[in-house]
Amino acid sequence: MSEGAAKKEERHKFQAIRGTRDLLPPETALWNHVEKTANEVFATFGFGAIRVPIFEPTELFARSIGLDTDVVSKEMYTFEDYEATELVELRTAAVTNVASLATGEALIDFLDRVGNFILAAEKAFEAGRIPRTPENERTLQMARELIAILQTFRYQGEREILPRVAELKDAVRQVRFGDVISLRPEATASVCRAYIEHGMRQLPQPVKLYYIGPMFRRERPQKGRYRQFYQIGAEVLGGSDAPAIDAEVIEMVMTFFDRLELHGVQLDINSIGCRECRPKYAQLLRAELLRVKDKLGPDSQRRIQTNPLRVLDSKLESEQGTIATLPRITDHLCEACATHYSAVKRQLEMRGVFFRENWRLVRGLDYYMRTTFEITAQGLGSQNAVCGGGRYDGLVELLGGPPTKGIGFAIGEDRLILSLQESGKAPAQPGRDVYIAWMGERAHATAIRAAKDLRKAGFSVELPPVEQKFGKALGQADKLGAKHALILWR
Ligand code: AMP
C-alpha cells in the first residue's frame, strides 16, 4: 500500500450503512415510551409477547409473502449460511478465471482442480457438512460423470469439449454449501412458523401474540422508509374467523394510538374477498382495465396482467379519474365474505371505532384475504401509512400447519415515532434527580453509599467519577438538568 493510500485508510470513517441509522438519546426515550405503552395496552387485550429469529429460511418468506411481490423478488437480504469454508476456495480455484483449455494439459489441469473440489464436496456431503439434499446428491453425481466423460476424451481441440465443460462448470456452481436464509422482511410468516413448530394448536384458542423488532428490506431510502426499520405487530391465530376478532384487533391498535395521543389518525378498511370471489372480481377488473388501458401509465398497464388489484393502489394523478370508474370489489363479494364484512363494520361501530371504507385498499403481500385495513397518521408526507393489517386464513396451512384462521397487523414504529415527533409529543429525556458533588476521599465513600441508597429508591443519580471543585460540579449538575444537588465534603 502506498503511503498516501495508507493515510487515507487511517482517516477512513465508518458510517452506518445507507438506509440504516443509529437511534440516540433523547429520542430513544420516546421509543421506550412507545414500546412500554404497546406492552401495557396489548397485555390488557390478553396478548403475549413472542420473539422470533431475525433470520429464517428464505423459502419461508418466499412461500408466504409470494414470489411475485417486490419484497421477495428484490428486497430481501439473502445469503447462504455454511460452515464448509474450504469448499469456497476449492470451487473458486476450479471454475473461476479458468484459462483457455486450448491444450490437452490445460484440460487435465482443469479436471484435476474440479476433481479436487468434487472429492471434498462429497466428503462434506457424507459428513452432513453441506445439505444432504437430493439436489446436492444429483449435482455431485452429474459432476462426477461429466469428469469421467471428459477424461476419456482424446483431446482434439477446445471446440469439441466446450459444451461438456460448460455443463460441468454449471454443476460445480450448483452445489449448495448451506441453507439459503434471509433477514426477515416482516414477522407474520415467522409467527405462523412458530405456531406450527410449538404445536400452539393445543393451547386455548385463539392464540394472541405480539412482537416488536427490526425488519429488513432493500428499499430506496427516503423519509419514513428505511432498510432496517422497526415494526410492532400482533397476530391472532386459531380456529375462528369471527368478525369480533377482526374488530377487536383493530380496536386494540386504535386504543394504542389513542393512548400515545397520535394525531390525525385515519383508519381505512376494506374486504378483498376470498379464494372464491376474488379471482372472479380480478377477472372482471382485468377486462375493465383492458378497456381503459390507453388512459393508464406503463406501471398500471403491466399490472393488468400480473396483479390487476394493485392498479387500484396507484397514486398517479393522471390515473385517478379512470380508476374511480372501475368496478368495486365490495359489490362483488361472495355471500359469506359480504356477511363477514358487514359484521366487522357493525362490530367496529359497537366498539366506537371510527373507520372509512376504502374500496381501493389492497395489500401488497399475497396472503391477505377478507378484512384488510390501513391506518395513516399526520406529518408523514407520502409515506403516511403507519399500520397495515388484515386477515390471512390459510397462511398457516400453506406453511405446513393445520387449517387455521389468522388476522394481524404491523405498525411501522419508525413512522409512528416520526409522527409523534412532528406533533411535538416527544417526551424529553428525564433529567437526573440528584447530582452528588463531593470533595475528599471520605466524602467520596459517603457519596458512593448515598448514590447506592438513592438509586435503590428509584432516583436517577449522577455521581462524578473524579473530584471536582464545587463551582464546576454545580455547573455540571445544571447542564444535566439535575433537580437536586447533594454536596459532600471532607
Ligand atoms: P407491511 O409489512 O408492508 O404491510 O408494512 C407495515 C407497516 O410497516 C407500514 O405501514 C409502514 O408503516 C411500515 N414499513 C414498511 N416498510 C417500511 C420501511 N422500509 N421503512 C419504514 N417503515 C416501513
Side-chain angles (χ1 to χ4, degrees):
M1 198 186 287
S2 74
E3 207 177 306
K7 275 235 172 77
K8 207 161 171 203
E9 187 92 329
E10 234 170 71
R11 279 203 307 270
H12 176 82
K13 291 216 175 57
F14 290 103
Q15 285 187 331
I17 289 171
R18 199 167 116 83
T20 73
R21 64 208 176 115
D22 303 305
L23 302 169
L24 309 169
E27 188 185 310
T28 39
L30 184 56
W31 285 74
N32 288 341
H33 168 67
V34 163
E35 290 173 13
K36 184 165 170 272
T37 308
N39 288 322
E40 286 167 6
V41 172
F42 295 175
T44 63
F45 281 79
F47 281 67
I50 180 169
R51 295 191 190 199
V52 290
I54 297 276
F55 50 83
E56 300 264 9
T58 304
E59 179 64 20
L60 176 72
F61 303 118
R63 192 149 6 134
S64 57
I65 300 171
L67 286 172
D68 292 338
T69 57
D70 284 354
V71 171
V72 168
S73 65
K74 48 183 198 235
E75 293 172 1
M76 285 205 296
Y77 288 93
T78 296
F79 51 99
E80 207 172 343
D81 182 28
Y82 52 80
E83 56 172 78
T85 42
E86 78 283 2
L87 291 180
V88 180
E89 259 172 60
L90 287 173
R91 171 148 73 185
T92 310
V95 295
T96 313
N97 298 329
V98 177
S100 84
L101 300 175
T103 65
E105 286 76 50
L107 176 63
I108 291 171
D109 183 49
F110 166 69
L111 291 177
D112 264 358
R113 279 181 283 127
V114 176
N116 275 344
F117 167 73
I118 295 297
L119 210 64
E122 279 173 337
K123 263 199 206 147
F125 182 86
E126 289 308 323
R129 292 176 66 240
I130 65 174
R132 297 186 61 135
T133 57
E135 291 82 21
N136 261 354
E137 186 163 23
R138 255 199 317 274
T139 309
L140 290 170
Q141 166 89 20
M142 191 164 100
R144 216 178 309 119
E145 283 167 14
L146 284 164
I147 292 175
I149 294 172
L150 282 163
Q151 275 169 342
T152 59
F153 256 71
R154 182 135 0 105
Y155 188 84
Q156 285 174 342
E158 203 174 355
R159 278 259 299 284
E160 211 179 331
I161 55 165
L162 277 186
R164 291 294 159 112
V165 167
E167 270 180 70
L168 179 55
K169 281 190 197 168
D170 272 352
V172 165
R173 288 197 190 98
Q174 272 166 23
V175 176
R176 284 251 318 273
F177 294 169
D179 299 319
V180 182
I181 62 182
S182 295
L183 298 185
R184 60 183 192 193
E186 54 107 52
T188 302
S190 305
V191 173
C192 291
R193 192 233 350 103
Y195 179 85
I196 301 167
E197 188 170 333
H198 302 286
M200 290 192 217
R201 192 62 205 242
Q202 307 310 321
L203 302 175
Q205 303 288 302
V207 172
K208 304 196 261 187
L209 300 164
Y210 76 95
Y211 58 83
I212 300 176
M215 308 295 156
F216 306 86
R217 295 182 196 173
R218 195 188 282 105
E219 293 191 88
R220 198 170 57 78
Q222 53 180 292
K223 185 183 172 194
R225 194 183 279 285
Y226 308 96
R227 291 180 166 181
Q228 174 173 340
F229 61 100
Y230 295 79
Q231 283 187 339
I232 301 177
E235 318 289 351
V236 182
L237 295 161
S240 167
D241 61 357
I245 296 181
D246 306 44
E248 192 180 71
V249 166
I250 296 174
E251 181 191 1
M252 181 168 90
V253 200
M254 296 302 272
T255 306
F256 172 51
F257 286 163
D258 195 43
R259 191 72 58 85
L260 291 173
E261 298 178 39
L262 185 66
H263 281 203
V265 177
Q266 168 70 53
L267 164 67
D268 280 16
I269 64 165
N270 193 21
S271 173
I272 54 168
C274 63
R275 252 169 267 148
E276 288 292 312
C277 52
R278 190 167 33 179
K280 288 186 200 149
Y281 168 71
Q283 210 176 348
L284 180 76
L285 184 63
R286 186 174 285 134
E288 273 305 305
L289 285 168
L290 284 172
R291 268 185 353 100
V292 295
K293 191 172 176 199
D294 297 342
K295 298 184 189 155
L296 301 171
D299 277 348
S300 291
Q301 287 194 358
R302 195 164 23 82
R303 289 191 175 129
I304 295 178
Q305 289 313 328
T306 55
N307 195 346
L309 267 74
R310 289 303 302 275
V311 176
L312 306 179
D313 239 0
S314 159
K315 307 269 185 301
L316 261 188
E317 203 47 56
S318 59
E319 294 181 343
Q320 301 307 309
T322 313
I323 292 175
T325 66
L326 294 170
R328 306 180 168 209
I329 189 159
T330 29
D331 299 329
H332 298 274
L333 295 174
C334 64
E335 205 177 321
C337 286
T339 309
H340 191 270
Y341 187 40
S342 313
V344 170
K345 286 186 280 183
R346 205 168 44 247
Q347 281 283 335
L348 285 172
E349 279 156 12
M350 281 165 67
R351 287 153 211 267
V353 175
F354 294 103
F355 59 85
R356 180 172 71 184
E357 282 185 77
N358 178 355
W359 67 278
R360 288 177 52 179
L361 180 67
V362 292
R363 310 272 316 133
L365 314 184
D366 265 4
Y367 51 63
Y368 285 109
M369 61 174 289
R370 287 196 172 168
T371 311
T372 51
F373 57 98
E374 187 168 88
I375 302 170
T376 50
Q378 192 171 287
L380 294 173
S382 63
Q383 304 298 321
N384 64 351
V386 76
C387 172
R391 178 161 281 290
Y392 50 81
D393 303 344
L395 177 57
V396 170
E397 213 174 339
L398 184 72
L399 297 176
T404 307
K405 314 281 188 195
I407 182 165
F409 64 79
I411 296 166
E413 193 176 359
D414 306 73
R415 294 189 195 171
L416 173 57
I417 300 274
L418 214 57
S419 180
L420 289 170
Q421 286 170 330
E422 295 281 321
S423 59
K425 275 281 174 305
Q429 167 97 328
R432 310 292 191 281
D433 294 311
V434 186
Y435 190 97
I436 306 183
W438 58 270
M439 277 185 83
E441 271 318 298
R442 278 185 42 214
H444 194 191
T446 313
I448 288 168
R449 276 201 308 279
K452 196 186 282 279
D453 289 344
L454 286 165
R455 284 173 178 151
K456 201 167 162 193
F459 294 102
S460 158
V461 178
E462 190 65 30
L463 176 64
V466 291
E467 190 172 281
Q468 290 169 328
K469 296 244 159 51
F470 285 130
K472 188 166 173 217
L474 293 177
Q476 190 75 2
D478 198 38
K479 267 193 218 142
L480 291 171
K483 292 191 201 105
H484 305 278
L486 178 60
I487 301 173
L488 302 168
W489 74 99
R490 302 261 297 253

